[in-house]
Amino acid sequence: MLFANIGIIDENFDYAENQWVGVLDGRIDYIGGEEPADAAKYGELYDGTGKLLMPGMYNAHAHAPMTLLRGYAENLPLQAWLEQKCWPFEGKMNGEDNYWATLLAGAEMLRYGTVSFSDMYYYTPERAHAVADLGMKANLCTSPLAFEPKPIQEFPVFAEMEDGINNIDGMADGRIKFEGCIHAEYTNNDVTAKTVFDWAREHGTRMHVHVSETESEVNGCRERHDGMSPVQWLESLGAFDVPAIAAHCVWVDDDDIAIMVAHGVTVAHNPASNMKLASGFAPVAKMLEAGVNVALGTDGMASNNNHDMFQDMYLMAMLPKGAGLDPTAITPKQAAFAATRAGALAQGREDCGLVKQGFAADLCVLDVSGPSWCPVNDMLTNVVYAGHGSDVVLTMCDGKVVYRDGAWPTIDIDRVKAEVAERTQRIQKEL
Ligand SMILES: [Zn+2]
């Protein structure tokens, strides 16, 4: 495809008008102010009048199949939400349910410009097939909840980890990666955690873990582990010896932040989820200032309840101002970087997340012709503060159109919605 006369958010997150962007063999082959000489080789000519092309979003923390729980567990504190509502519901979900739920989650993500997500859940083969069918990217991990102090190799989940690394990592032309994970400190122990981290190091995978989401989690961890915070405990067992995503990090202190900087840990910030579950406000401005790679995540649909990364980007830019009484905290560039490039880096996708020549063509196009986009004093400010996922009119992953003008060329959206509705009803009846 050749995008003609289109505005772009460039590799420095600056705005450029009237650009030509050529996509060839899955990559951004040409960017310039003039029509390329050999324009015909790019195929379809896309009229970019009134449109903005920007990097696709990278959702750094999701639980895609939890889309079945959208609107199911509301107005509850985290532990009751998890133990009384989420876990019993999830216990009734089978592999097929996970496949269809992941298809729906992915369809929603694509509709809002997200091309890739880091997903912590179960039923990895079913999720992987859904991601492959959608034509998008994902870093998948399974989520050990291992309360008994024995090596991970002695838990049933280990078979899924081995299958993940042997058969799923690299699937769909490398769009799917498999990585190591423990659900959280409070659902594991020294022995299981250490054996998972050793396994990740041996296989050279990345790591994904929930960290310091609530104040009570941190207090409990300090009681269980000689005063160590979750970040300190994870570091002591080797969790950060491989590139890692630490999801949430709401209750981290200066020592924790220093550890994360030293190990290059990415924080997946989930502002909507943290507010909905009243977990608190993550010290995002402080983490960015210290040099932490901060990416953005939606978290699961029981605590958000949508996959619109534009909303999370907006909240990331807004909350540190209000909560920190500092209107200068977080620039539009920092928020846009977190939603795109930071997530790509967190997934080990070095050549993704920027509109840059030679990079993977993971893009979204927004219709910026409406009143909320006028005037353009600063386009990126419009994107962060006035934009919505619903402004997206086209999403492209590795050069393939995966969403365009209300249609998903890779899936049967009506069937996906019907399957999800039916399966949710079945589970509700079984509870
Ligand atoms: Zn989560």
Side-chain angles (χ1 to χ4, degrees):
M1 185 172 279
L2 178 62
F3 297 95
N5 295 313
I6 196 162
I8 69 166
I9 299 297
D10 72 12
E11 63 183 275
N12 301 311
F13 290 86
D14 291 324
Y15 174 56
E17 282 181 303
N18 294 322
Q19 296 292 296
W20 293 72
V21 179
V23 172
L24 197 64
D25 298 332
R27 301 214 159 247
I28 300 168
D29 183 69
Y30 174 85
I31 304 172
E34 307 286 332
E35 180 178 356
D38 41 359
K41 75 173 177 182
Y42 296 109
E44 182 185 347
L45 188 70
Y46 186 97
D47 179 7
T49 311
K51 304 283 190 348
L52 175 74
L53 183 146
M54 60 177 279
M57 301 271 178
Y58 285 73
N59 184 345
H61 183 65
H63 309 283
M66 284 188 86
T67 306
L68 292 191
L69 285 81
R70 188 181 349 242
Y72 164 73
E74 300 295 318
N75 293 67
L76 288 168
L78 189 135
Q79 284 308 321
W81 170 85
L82 203 55
E83 288 166 19
Q84 291 165 25
K85 299 292 282 188
C86 294
W87 286 347
F89 188 106
E90 290 173 305
K92 303 284 185 193
M93 285 166 63
N94 62 37
E96 287 261 292
D97 298 334
N98 277 269
Y99 171 77
W100 290 103
T102 305
L103 277 185
L104 185 79
E108 185 187 359
M109 290 188 212
L110 295 177
R111 196 266 164 271
Y112 295 142
T114 294
V115 291
S116 185
F117 60 106
S118 291
D119 203 58
M120 183 194 290
Y121 214 65
Y122 313 99
Y123 292 97
T124 304
E126 286 81 359
R127 284 183 296 145
H129 283 124
V131 172
D133 289 351
L134 286 154
M136 60 194 304
K137 301 181 178 179
N139 284 34
L140 305 175
C141 62
T142 189
S143 173
L145 281 82
F147 294 97
E148 287 172 81
K150 57 184 188 181
I152 195 65
Q153 286 79 359
E154 294 176 29
F155 287 88
V157 74
F158 186 68
E160 191 171 330
M161 289 166 62
E162 288 285 284
D163 178 50
I165 205 72
N166 292 325
N167 302 315
I168 288 167
D169 189 49
M171 249 180 81
D173 299 322
R175 297 200 314 272
I176 298 173
K177 295 175 183 244
F178 188 78
E179 55 195 23
C181 170
I182 63 166
H183 168 265
E185 173 274 331
Y186 61 93
T187 49
N188 283 265
N189 58 73
D190 289 56
V191 182
T192 49
K194 183 163 185 340
T195 48
V196 170
F197 305 151
D198 289 346
W199 177 91
R201 204 167 40 241
E202 278 162 31
H203 291 282
T205 77
R206 312 177 85 82
M207 181 60 58
H208 192 163
V209 54
H210 289 116
V211 181
S212 301
E213 181 173 0
T214 64
E215 190 173 23
S216 67
E217 173 193 335
V218 176
N219 291 340
C221 177
R222 290 196 193 278
E223 277 169 31
R224 286 184 287 275
H225 303 294
D226 297 328
M228 282 194 280
S229 70
V231 171
Q232 290 173 321
W233 179 78
L234 288 162
E235 188 207 25
S236 74
L237 297 171
F240 304 144
D241 294 352
V242 298
I245 288 179
H248 299 298
C249 294
V250 178
W251 295 90
V252 288
D253 60 20
D254 291 351
D255 293 340
D256 294 331
I257 292 172
I259 289 170
M260 293 195 286
V261 171
H263 290 275
V265 173
T266 291
V267 169
H269 174 45
N270 303 273
S273 174
N274 294 158
M275 280 209 293
K276 188 143 193 272
L277 295 174
S279 303
F281 301 104
V284 184
K286 202 183 209 186
M287 291 193 278
L288 283 169
E289 203 174 306
V292 177
N293 184 44
V294 176
L296 266 177
T298 56
D299 209 1
M301 289 304 95
S303 62
N304 187 312
N305 301 354
N306 65 75
H307 284 115
D308 183 353
M309 286 276 286
F310 284 78
Q311 284 195 359
D312 289 282
M313 184 167 68
Y314 174 84
L315 290 174
M316 176 185 171
M318 284 294 218
L319 291 178
K321 295 177 172 65
L325 303 179
D326 178 7
T328 70
I330 310 292
T331 63
K333 270 191 192 184
Q334 286 176 314
F337 186 91
T340 57
R341 176 66 171 159
L345 291 172
Q347 294 182 350
R349 302 181 191 272
E350 304 288 330
D351 59 346
C352 296
L354 295 175
V355 178
K356 182 174 180 174
Q357 197 176 6
F359 269 47
D362 292 349
L363 310 167
C364 62
V365 174
L366 280 64
D367 178 351
V368 293
S369 63
S372 63
W373 292 89
C374 186
V376 183
N377 285 309
D378 182 281
M379 183 56 96
L380 194 63
T381 299
N382 280 1
V383 169
V384 172
Y385 291 110
H388 295 93
S390 54
D391 294 317
V392 172
V393 291
L394 182 148
T395 305
M396 177 180 274
C397 184
D398 272 352
K400 294 210 170 62
V401 173
V402 278
Y403 171 78
R404 186 172 184 174
D405 299 329
W408 290 258
T410 55
I411 55 165
D412 178 348
I413 190 68
D414 291 332
R415 168 135 196 241
V416 172
K417 286 193 291 182
E419 288 278 357
V420 163
E422 204 174 287
R423 287 164 189 280
T424 305
Q425 276 179 9
R426 187 207 79 230
I427 292 167
Q428 296 268 24
K429 277 192 201 124
E430 286 174 11
L431 284 167

